[in-house]
Amino acid sequence: MALDSKIPKGPLADQWTKHKNDINLVNPANKRLIDVIIVGTGLAGGSAAATLAELGYNVKAFCFQDSPRRAHSIAAQGGINAAKNYQGDGDSTYRLFYDTVKGGDYRSRESNVYRLAEVSSNIIDQCVAQGVPFAREYGGLLDNRSFGGVLVSRTFYAKGQTGQQLLLGAYSAMNRQIGRGKIKMHTRHEMLDVVIVDGKARGIIARNLVTGEIERHSAHAVVLGTGGYGNAFYLSTYAMGSNVTAAWKAHKRGAFFANPCYTQIHPTCIPVSGDHQSKLTLMSESLRNDGRIWVPKHMKDVEAIRDGSLKPTELAEDDRDYYLERRYPAFGNLVPRDVASRAAKERCDAGYGVNKTGEAVYLDFAAAFMRYGKEQAHVKGLDEDDDALVRKLGQEIVKNKYGNLFQMYEKIVDQNPYETPMMIFPAVHYTMGGIWVDYNLMTTVPGLYAIGEANFSDHGANRLGASALMQGLADGYFVLPYTIGDYLADDIRTGPIPTDSKAFDDAEKDATDIIDKLINNNGTHSVDYFHKKLGKIMWNKCGMARNAKELKEAIVEIAELREEFWKDVKIPGTADAYNEELAKAGRVADFLELGELFAKDALVREESAGGHFRDEYQTPEGEAMRRKEFQFVSAWEFKGEPKDAVLHKEELAYENIEVKERSYK
Ligand SMILES: Cc1cc2nc3c(=O)[nH]c(=O)nc-3n(C[C@H](O)[C@H](O)[C@H](O)COP(=O)(O)OP(=O)(O)OC[C@H]3O[C@@H](n4cnc5c(N)ncnc54)[C@H](O)[C@@H]3O)c2cc1C
């Protein structure tokens, strides 16, 4: 199958306007005749559901939580980007586009990213109109801060709870439509399969998680806004329920996956503390606006810190290595996430990690306390030479900016980050890979769309901070509502889609067969036992440092683990009632399949990109080769030629073979 990204012709800056002018529309009266299923009501799905219903479509929305408000999007802390240039610091649509493409190691689809940058400003206006309480400066104007990989301040935020506030906005917009009857909301429903009728996505099979009932739902199009799959690594910053099932089932029905191995490893997470852990915690990237990252310069100090005989606050400035400021003077601590993560790993691999496991670096606010404190003392006419006073004043400012993050750190680590530097280490945080979509956000299955983190198109090999919320809301509020009409215009006379067809029978049977097998397996190990094992393989062999030998081992090990899972997993309880372990088992079964594709993708990518580096390239010659490759792509890209830089020829062939020949279980 040839992939056609359907990128409009012409200069990047004109493509979206031209496309909107050219595509088919569905008139308001005909929209009432069309049903759309939206699976996932996080920021992407929630905004899409609200907007499509507002336009007049009949929306059926699904999420597995008890409320759309509990989607993983709620966890987003730091902010959302937009090219408003409120700071007058040189920002523009082009710069946001450029930063995002460059930040993604030139592996994003430029046309989609340009459109994203273009609509970014509308998102802020839309959310302000909904009442989202973005932070404001004293004079009442919206405030901005910086995130990694950029030289401007374009990030809008609501304290450390931006995702929550944006989600409440989308949820309110959805609720208006739920109240009008235009959205039928199905909470605690898990999509188990997509139903393809005559080559088009026409419905889903879902399990009511409370009663265990299997249900059929039909529509003229199906949209997946089901989030990312970083929990394949077991330990990650994701919500515990985030999973790949919807995307994976869509893949098995013919939707291509793109870049499955591109995972974001976020540099500022609380380090792993032991085997008992089931979750990792992010410390927002916004902290790098004011925190400085360092490790000791000398091994004797590392050892003294580890054995407790030296406190980090006692180490002289000259004996500290602020390695990001040293290596990347222009960006300093605000380098992109992949660069910061790789640098932290490099220091820790060289033995300079500051905690007992040797896998932690410091994020230190001491300098910010003094900087802000001096300014405050000056403003208030107090003694600028009184260090204790200045520090206290500075801490108040930092508390106002990041108070909830500091509190969270103290609760988890039991150390006061106002008194001692935070310890951080990279952790799995976001998946840039996902379901392949064209410019209209349609997958390779006609009528099946993917939006938000579930698709692949905008972030290349590394997503810049504060751009996931931007993409999810751009897709949901401003892109899909236009592009889906182009497809649905052909369906105005189709009428309701029946659910008593063979395609629905077959899909339902496939779903119930899996459930029956899981529930009757009577094995000896819990689902978590297998999930943890998978996570270890993924992190150790498909994580940041990768090489062909270990990736090949991972492929075999994951396949073996999958076999063991199906022989030996034990699920207590029954299928006709609430059974969290059963739901988890289905998700882990899909991670065990995705994991193999992930490792295969990493294996064929003989490149270092984003947070991943192939050991083969960790020589001076290899690094030089990598740089040359980027320069080439970079020069080529900015001539403005549209190119689907994602799946090159060999991988296309590989994808085709995979889709045809893969068989599981
Ligand atoms: C701790 C943390 C902080 C972050 N901070 C930021 C930030 O400051 N700025 C930023 O831009 N990004 C941030 N991100 C990333 C960002 O939050 C996510 O990428 C984004 O919210 C994903 O939104 P989404 O709507 O695509 O998916 P999600 O919010 O994950 O929503 C997925 C939806 O799909 C549903 N679903 C999934 N599978 C099924 C199924 N099989 N059946 C039915 N329903 C299903 C779920 O119920 C849910 O409603 C952060 C991420 C984390 C983990």
Side-chain angles (χ1 to χ4, degrees), residues 68-114:
R69 281 172 305 159
R70 298 204 207 292
H72 163 68
S73 290
I74 201 173
Q77 301 170 347
I80 175 167
N81 289 331
K84 285 257 189 206
N85 193 28
Y86 277 176
Q87 303 304 318
D89 55 1
D91 202 7
S92 64
T93 299
Y94 180 80
R95 275 197 188 271
L96 175 49
F97 154 76
Y98 176 88
D99 289 344
T100 308
V101 173
K102 182 178 172 195
D105 265 357
Y106 303 103
R107 278 142 174 83
S108 323
R109 185 188 285 148
E110 300 82 11
S111 304
N112 292 43
V113 179
Y114 199 94

Side-chain angles (χ1 to χ4, degrees), residues 38-47 61-81 145 147 155-157 160-163 166-167 185-186 188-193 204-207 209 224-228 236-239 241-247 249 264 266 279-286 337 408 428-431 451-455 459 463-473 475 587 590:
I38 299 188
V39 187
T41 48
L43 282 176
S47 56
F62 295 79
C63 71
F64 64 75
Q65 290 95 346
D66 59 351
S67 161
R69 281 172 305 159
R70 298 204 207 292
H72 163 68
S73 290
I74 201 173
Q77 301 170 347
I80 175 167
N81 289 331
R145 55 190 176 198
F147 266 57
T155 305
F156 294 77
Y157 64 100
Q161 308 163 348
T162 315
L166 293 171
L167 193 57
M185 186 65 227
H186 302 265
R188 293 204 169 188
H189 275 66
E190 179 138 321
M191 168 188 151
L192 298 180
D193 214 340
I204 63 167
I205 302 297
R207 179 165 178 266
L209 293 174
L224 302 182
T226 46
S236 80
T237 64
Y238 280 80
S242 294
N243 68 89
V244 77
T245 290
K249 290 292 165 38
Q264 176 154 87
H266 196 298
K279 173 93 186 69
L280 292 176
T281 307
L282 173 80
M283 298 314 298
S284 167
E285 175 164 316
S286 59
R337 291 176 179 177
M408 196 167 76
V428 170
H429 179 65
Y430 182 90
T431 45
I451 57 175
E453 191 174 341
N455 78 23
H459 308 295
R463 175 176 70 79
L464 289 186
S467 56
L469 303 184
M470 173 175 66
Q471 184 220 330
L473 292 181
D475 288 357
R587 296 170 194 166
D590 292 329

